[in-house]
Amino acid sequence: MSGCVFCGIVAGEVPAFRVADEPDGVAFLDTRPVFKGHVLVVPRTHLVTLPDLPAADLPGYFGLVQRLAVAVESALGAGGTFVAMNNKVSQSVAHLHTHVVPRTKGDGLRGFFWPRTRYADDAEAEEHARRIAAALAPTGA
């Protein structure tokens, strides 16, 4: 897509520190990493959010994400990884991308990057669970 920096990276028109270039996606270092070695994984085609990714592409794309999570940990001697994706809100580039961030114990990153909350009671939690379950598309839809 014209003007999309990630499409430019996939096409080789925008420079990036590539980690992987495969049919299922391209991975490269984030230019503003949470920690050094922070990788972004993008599908080759321009898609904006996870719901846009065709079901047939899920195994290949997330297989690549999974392999990168292992590679980041192994290559950098990290204690683990944080794997995350934004859809619309806080999505700095409107092209589907998955963050693979190396983690070490005591690195200062506490859980998620935002404040946490609580349900008022079990009834409120149950109501949220019910609403989400009711909106869940059946498998194969």
Side-chain angles (χ1 to χ4, degrees):
M1 176 173 189
S2 179
C4 173
V5 67
F6 289 172
C7 286
I9 290 171
V10 169
E13 299 163 355
V14 173
F17 295 98
R18 288 177 184 253
V19 174
D21 188 339
E22 300 182 1
D24 293 311
V26 175
F28 47 91
L29 294 181
D30 192 313
T31 58
R32 294 182 357 233
V34 174
F35 298 117
K36 292 175 183 176
H38 176 168
V39 174
L40 298 177
V41 185
V42 302
R44 298 189 76 78
T45 57
H46 183 80
L47 305 167
V48 177
T49 64
L50 181 59
D52 300 327
L53 186 66
D57 295 346
L58 287 167
Y61 181 75
F62 281 105
L64 177 58
V65 171
Q66 181 182 49
R67 289 176 33 238
L68 281 158
V70 171
V72 164
E73 184 176 334
S74 173
L76 303 177
T81 57
F82 178 73
V83 178
M85 175 186 300
N86 288 306
N87 283 292
K88 300 178 187 174
V89 176
S90 294
Q91 192 176 9
S92 57
V93 176
H95 184 121
L96 175 65
H97 57 284
T98 305
H99 299 260
V100 180
V101 180
R103 297 293 313 273
T104 57
K105 187 174 176 118
D107 62 17
L109 192 62
R110 301 260 185 246
F112 292 107
F113 306 121
W114 50 84
R116 305 293 284 270
T117 188
R118 295 186 183 275
Y119 293 102
D121 52 30
D122 287 352
E124 183 184 27
E126 179 59 36
E127 174 61 14
H128 278 77
R130 184 198 61 73
R131 288 170 52 195
I132 294 167
L136 185 63
T139 304

